[in-house]
Amino acid sequence: DGRVYVADRGVGGVHVLAPSGGFAAPFGVTGGYPAQLGAVGAVALGPVPGEPAGERVYVLDPATRRLVLYSQDGIWLDAWEEIDGAGVAASSDGRVYVLDSSTSQVAVLDAATGARRFAFGGRGTDDGLFTQFTDISVSADGRVAAVGDKRGLRVQLFDLATDEELGSASPPETARLRKSYDLLAARFNKGDDRCSGER
């Protein structure tokens, strides 16, 4: 609907910029547990399971190792515990993707329950692995994930298997590396404009 959600680590909380250019009251500012955040981390929007027209806001809280769920209007809905995340994304196929800092894997969670479905990746410099991932984005249909690896100076694209494919008699890999973009390449470094894989 044109609103922009900004994680403000300085002031704290999630600030909402309206299409008119004005800011709505922030939510998740430091305060009372569980509705408030110890520290605001990455933010993502995603559909509400079973409600295609609705969306909710996923906010990582690195201070309390949680993923906190809010309505689009900032009303606290739920919190999933024991999540040490560096980045988060959601897709329309009922999945939430979290960059798990403790394992260097992309953890794929069920959007309805927060239960872990599968994970891929790990720590390393080989293709398909990460040295310091910082951000993830997933296509709306949940078929492709892009992961920014700051220390590895690359962005890797993964093709993701659907639930139907994973439930078949001979399931494919959960995630298959499609392409790795080396950010040291000349086309990504023009004068002072240099890519780092940060976002």
Side-chain angles (χ1 to χ4, degrees):
D1 62 2
R3 285 185 279 186
V4 177
Y5 294 82
V6 181
D8 189 333
R9 292 182 177 91
V11 175
V14 178
H15 297 252
V16 184
L17 176 64
S20 63
F23 278 96
F27 61 88
V29 294
T30 303
Y33 188 84
Q36 305 303 319
L37 302 168
V40 65
V43 175
L45 285 174
V48 177
E51 296 178 32
E55 285 195 305
R56 60 187 177 189
V57 184
Y58 298 89
V59 185
L60 286 169
D61 184 348
T64 59
R65 299 181 70 234
R66 300 181 300 158
L67 180 60
V68 186
L69 286 60
Y70 296 93
S71 73
Q72 281 186 284
D73 297 319
I75 298 169
W76 183 85
L77 301 173
D78 198 0
W80 299 339
E81 306 291 336
E82 299 303 315
I83 294 178
D84 184 15
V88 62
S91 58
S92 62
D93 62 350
R95 294 175 177 175
V96 177
Y97 300 80
V98 175
L99 300 179
D100 187 337
S101 299
S102 58
T103 64
S104 293
Q105 292 183 310
V106 178
V108 183
L109 311 177
D110 186 290
T113 64
R116 190 179 180 117
R117 289 187 176 182
F118 62 87
F120 64 92
R123 186 175 303 281
T125 57
D126 291 341
D127 285 347
L129 302 178
F130 315 104
T131 52
Q132 185 191 358
F133 50 27
T134 52
D135 201 18
I136 182 169
S137 184
V138 179
S139 62
D141 63 2
R143 298 306 308 271
V144 181
V147 181
D149 188 348
K150 182 178 180 181
R151 188 169 294 156
L153 287 169
R154 61 186 177 179
V155 175
Q156 298 184 85
L157 290 185
F158 295 88
D159 290 311
L160 305 171
T162 65
D163 290 340
E164 184 177 290
E165 291 169 338
L166 293 175
S168 68
S170 55
E173 289 180 82
T174 54
R176 184 178 53 80
L177 180 68
R178 177 196 291 186
K179 187 171 179 87
S180 180
Y181 293 93
D182 178 2
L183 298 181
L184 292 174
R187 65 183 171 140
F188 299 120
N189 295 280
K190 307 286 186 190
D192 292 334
D193 297 324
R194 296 184 177 276
C195 287
S196 69
E198 177 89 22
R199 290 284 176 267

